[in-house]
């Protein structure tokens, strides 16, 4: 789909929605019979945490690149397309590090590279973990590590409703587009986007109340219980 | 003689204390009844179900469940609250509201787990329900991956697993294809055949004869304007017209259009 130079909002909406939809397909990698999928989630979480701690402690950029190459090798052995993996990883790098470290590139180049590389390695391993483990199993594993059930449940609900809101955003966008057509003045577009943000906020509040009612209705009293499996 | 399951007297409820949602509701429902709350959009049916499920409480008037007054204070008693939630189950209109867990299985077992039902018993009930509803292939899926009909089935399963004495249903057949609709109606019938009470809010006249034996009609003043057996009230065309409940069918015969109200019982 091609976008006009002014249509930043349209581009942002479509890209965000596509990102979430891709996340649904990412579950397919978790179900494949690859190298990392073979390990239990507990082992993967502990290993990834160990790599991240190592990444934070080392000051050797060469060692960090070795970590990164190992990550790419494991991704490949786990039947993840390298192009797809790089795209997902590098989406986060500018957000979390590059722009923050940008001024340091002109003052202390090594520190800036070290910072960006650490973020690159850490996010790559986290994404590798999330791609090779169904999120429901990740949540269950968090429970086995003693993370309070209410926290795990809240995380699960966030994940669940992100998809619902992605659908709402997409449908609202299509509904607006069907009425106003493709080409509108950017100022008008900004008004529509503002209205949509407010509307989505209101819907999320309403949904929040209704979900809590649905929980109460089925006996929730503040301390969630789970099935022993 | 046993006490009515629900007894509402001069009940009033408003949103934020200024937008009336229910006015002077008087309602008595006996154990084992199969009742529909029938009304056009905005007549307060869903609000009434929420009051029956003690999710909101009236501004004025009273509501009793098996002779016990329902108010916010009695729900501070954990034993009473748990007992009430075990005995009364509500299926919400929007299944997305009810399916908040990461997997279908976790959603279905959420209620009985919170209510302290033994884990073995829950597993047995789950096994039985997924068989009856034919949803075994859905249990490990995530709710956002389901179709509307599948979501509806799962949300009903999440309440039926509690095995409540009273089942409250909010527009259970809305947006469903005919086959799924039939399956749900049969399920509700089976539930009622076990001697349980079923109270359904709907505006769908087509479904009323299958969903209920008795009717309470709500009007635009948000009060109950008529009560009685389904066949009698559905035959009263004037009453249905006054309450914006008559379907007008438009047909083409021999090249010309003609309109008539849809009949729901032999008149």
């Amino acid at each position: 789909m091609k976008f006009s130079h002014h249509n930043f909002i349209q581009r942002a909406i479509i890209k965000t929605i596509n990102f979430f939809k891709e996340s649904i397909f990412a579950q397919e990698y978790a179900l494949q019979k690859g190298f990392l999928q073979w390990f239990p989630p507990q082992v993967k979480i502990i290993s990834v945490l160990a790599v991240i701690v190592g990444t934070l402690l080392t000051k050797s950029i060469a060692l960090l690149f070795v970590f990164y190459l190992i990550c790419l090798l494991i991704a490949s052995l786990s039947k993840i397309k390298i192009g797809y993996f790089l795209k997902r990883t590098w989406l986060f790098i500018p957000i979390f590090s590059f722009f923050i470290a940008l001024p340091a590139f002109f003052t202390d180049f090594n520190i800036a590279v070290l910072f960006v590389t650490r973020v690159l390695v850490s996010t790559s391993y986290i994404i590798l973990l999330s791609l090779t483990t169904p999120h429901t199993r990740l949540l269950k594993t968090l429970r086995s590590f003693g993370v309070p059930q209410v926290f795990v449940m809240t995380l699960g609900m966030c994940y669940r409703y992100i998809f619902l809101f992605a659908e709402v955003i997409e449908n609202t966008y299509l509904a607006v587009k069907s009425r106003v057509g493709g080409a509108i003045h950017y100022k008008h577009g900004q008004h529509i986007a503002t209205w949509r943000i407010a509307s989505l906020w209101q819907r999320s509040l309403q949904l929040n109340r209704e979900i809590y009612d649905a929980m109460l209705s089925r006996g929730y009293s503040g301390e969630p219980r789970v099935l022993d499996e | 003689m046993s006490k009515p399951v629900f007894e509402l007297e001069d009940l009033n409820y408003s949103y934020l204390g200024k937008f009336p949602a229910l006015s002077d509701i008087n309602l008595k429902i006996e154990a084992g009844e199969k009742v529909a709350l029938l009304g056009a959009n905005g007549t307060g049916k869903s609000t009434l179900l929420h009051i029956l499920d003690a999710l909101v409480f009236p501004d004025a008037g009273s509501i009793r469940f098996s002779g016990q007054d329902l108010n916010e204070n009695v729900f501070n008693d954990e034993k009473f609250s748990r007992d009430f939630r075990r005995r009364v189950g509500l299926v919400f209109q929007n299944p997305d509201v009810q399916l908040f867990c990461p997997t279908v299985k976790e959603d279905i077992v959420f209620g009985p787990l919170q209510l302290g039902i033994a884990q073995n018993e829950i597993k047995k009930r789950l096994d039985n329900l997924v068989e009856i509803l034919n949803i075994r292939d859905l249990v490990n899926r995530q709710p956002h991956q389901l179709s509307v009909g599948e979501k509806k089935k799962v949300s009903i399963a999440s309440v039926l697993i509690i095995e409540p004495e009273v089942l409250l249903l909010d527009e259970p057949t809305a947006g469903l294809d005919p086959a799924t609709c039939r399956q749900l109606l049969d399920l509700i019938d089976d539930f009622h055949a076990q001697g349980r009470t079923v109270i359904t809010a709907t505006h769908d006249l087509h479904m009323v004869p299958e969903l209920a034996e008795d009717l309470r009609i709500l009007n635009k003043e948000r009060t109950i304007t008529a009560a009685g057996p389904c066949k009698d009230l559905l035959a009263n065309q004037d009453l249905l017209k006054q309450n914006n409940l008559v379907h007008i069918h438009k047909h083409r015969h021999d090249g010309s259009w003609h309109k008539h109200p849809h009949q729901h019982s032999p008149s």
Side-chain angles (χ1 to χ4, degrees):
Chain A
M1 190 182 283
K2 286 188 175 177
F3 301 103
S4 69
H5 290 298
H6 294 296
N7 215 336
F8 167 75
I9 292 165
Q10 179 173 337
R11 199 165 54 224
I13 288 172
I14 295 290
K15 292 222 167 186
T16 310
I17 289 167
N18 284 344
F19 175 75
F20 285 124
K21 282 187 171 170
E22 270 183 29
S23 300
I24 299 173
F25 296 119
Q27 293 288 308
E28 286 176 15
Y29 286 115
L31 301 174
Q32 282 187 3
K33 289 180 178 168
F35 173 72
L36 214 51
Q37 289 87 337
W38 184 79
F39 288 95
Q42 287 93 333
V43 174
K44 283 190 272 189
I45 289 178
I46 291 170
S47 309
V48 166
L49 285 177
V51 171
I52 290 173
V53 170
T55 303
L56 294 175
L57 293 178
T58 185
K59 288 183 179 170
S60 161
I61 293 170
L63 184 62
L64 288 173
F65 273 106
V66 171
F67 280 172
Y68 186 56
L69 287 176
I70 291 172
C71 181
L72 293 182
L73 180 69
I74 296 173
S76 173
L77 290 173
S78 305
K79 296 185 178 171
I80 297 167
K81 286 178 191 157
I82 292 299
Y84 173 79
F85 183 71
L86 291 176
K87 216 168 96 181
R88 268 180 82 97
T89 319
W90 283 93
L91 181 75
F92 292 104
I93 305 305
I95 300 168
F96 290 116
S97 68
F98 186 75
F99 293 126
I100 299 166
L102 196 59
F105 277 104
F106 302 104
T107 53
D108 192 338
F109 186 76
N110 278 349
I111 291 286
V113 172
L114 181 68
F115 176 71
V116 173
T117 320
R118 275 177 177 166
V119 176
L120 170 67
V121 174
S122 305
T123 48
S124 296
Y125 275 96
I126 289 288
I127 287 169
L128 189 59
L129 175 69
S130 70
L131 281 177
T132 56
T133 321
H135 84 279
T136 47
R137 292 198 65 194
L138 272 180
L139 291 175
K140 276 184 187 161
T141 311
L142 287 179
R143 276 180 220 150
S144 68
F145 285 148
V147 176
Q149 176 51 29
V150 71
F151 182 75
V152 177
M153 189 173 84
T154 310
L155 271 182
M157 288 172 78
C158 287
Y159 187 87
R160 156 85 178 93
Y161 287 104
I162 279 173
F163 289 106
L164 185 75
F165 280 113
E167 270 178 28
V168 171
I169 293 166
E170 188 176 19
N171 289 338
T172 315
Y173 165 71
L174 292 174
V176 171
K177 194 177 176 185
S178 76
R179 276 178 283 170
V180 300
I184 52 166
H185 192 270
Y186 77 96
K187 274 197 170 175
H188 188 205
Q190 284 172 353
H191 283 141
I192 293 173
T194 312
W195 174 82
R196 284 202 307 236
I197 291 166
S199 154
L200 192 66
W201 171 247
Q202 199 142 20
R203 285 178 84 158
S204 70
L205 282 179
Q206 191 188 346
L207 194 64
N208 170 36
R209 277 193 296 270
E210 288 176 347
I211 292 165
Y212 188 62
D213 278 349
M215 292 168 76
L216 283 183
S217 174
R218 273 145 74 196
Y220 179 69
S221 58
E223 287 173 34
R225 298 178 179 94
V226 290
L227 204 60
D228 298 333
E229 287 180 297
Chain B
M1 193 178 153
S2 65
K3 288 173 180 155
V5 177
F6 283 111
E7 203 170 5
L8 282 64
E9 278 176 18
D10 303 324
L11 183 142
N12 285 270
Y13 178 77
S14 57
Y15 291 112
L16 305 170
K18 52 184 173 182
F19 304 109
L22 292 168
S23 302
D24 298 324
I25 298 285
N26 287 288
L27 174 69
K28 193 186 276 189
I29 293 172
E30 303 288 345
E33 271 196 89
K34 196 179 176 195
V35 184
L37 306 170
L38 181 65
N41 293 333
T43 49
K45 304 182 296 293
S46 295
T47 309
L48 186 50
L49 283 189
H50 284 220
I51 284 189
L52 295 178
D53 198 35
L55 294 173
V56 289
F57 296 95
D59 300 335
S62 66
I63 170 167
R64 280 189 291 281
F65 172 71
S66 294
Q68 162 78 55
D69 266 315
L70 294 184
N71 55 55
E72 277 164 307
N73 290 335
V74 297
F75 281 87
N76 290 333
D77 176 356
E78 203 176 312
K79 190 172 170 294
F80 176 82
S81 174
R82 189 174 282 197
D83 181 59
F84 179 84
R85 300 288 173 214
R86 274 193 189 203
R87 293 174 68 188
V88 182
L90 168 63
V91 179
F92 285 68
Q93 184 175 358
N94 176 5
D96 276 319
V97 162
Q98 212 161 336
L99 307 180
F100 43 78
C101 293
T103 65
V104 164
K105 184 180 180 181
E106 285 170 273
D107 260 318
I108 297 176
V109 300
F110 179 87
L113 280 170
Q114 311 317 306
L115 293 166
I117 295 169
Q119 299 243 352
N120 281 345
E121 174 63 20
I122 295 173
K123 286 174 189 167
K124 211 164 75 185
R125 288 185 193 180
L126 173 71
D127 215 40
N128 189 32
L129 258 180
V130 295
E131 205 57 56
I132 292 170
L133 288 165
N134 196 21
I135 53 171
R136 194 168 289 284
D137 56 328
L138 303 183
V139 288
N140 291 317
R141 284 170 67 184
Q142 297 163 32
H144 67 78
Q145 296 171 325
L146 308 183
S147 69
V148 176
E150 289 170 338
K151 281 182 186 173
K152 202 79 180 184
K153 273 193 205 175
V154 174
S155 60
I156 289 182
S158 73
V159 174
L160 289 186
I161 196 170
I162 299 169
E163 297 187 352
E165 291 167 24
V166 183
L167 181 63
L168 308 171
L169 298 151
D170 197 354
E171 303 283 3
T173 54
L176 296 184
D177 61 68
T180 313
C181 197
R182 180 72 264 153
Q183 215 179 353
L184 283 188
L185 291 170
D186 291 343
L187 192 72
I188 294 165
D189 257 349
D190 291 345
F191 182 84
H192 177 245
Q194 295 164 20
R196 299 171 199 260
T197 312
V198 181
I199 305 170
T200 310
T202 185
H203 64 262
D204 190 346
L205 279 188
H206 285 291
M207 293 298 155
V208 169
E210 300 220 44
L211 285 167
E213 289 157 358
D214 282 291
L215 277 185
R216 307 288 188 276
I217 295 180
L218 285 110
N219 63 12
K220 62 178 190 294
E221 279 77 39
R222 301 176 184 91
T223 191
I224 292 175
T225 185
C230 206
K231 60 178 173 44
D232 295 347
L233 295 189
L234 288 184
N236 188 340
Q237 288 297 309
D238 289 337
L239 176 72
L240 298 179
K241 263 186 216 166
Q242 278 162 21
N243 291 289
N244 211 14
L245 288 165
V246 178
H247 291 192
I248 302 296
H249 279 217
K250 193 174 174 184
H251 300 279
R252 197 177 170 95
H253 292 301
D254 300 326
S256 64
W257 288 99
H258 100 130
K259 293 178 183 175
H260 67 81
H262 183 75
Q263 300 292 322
H264 286 272
S265 61
S267 48

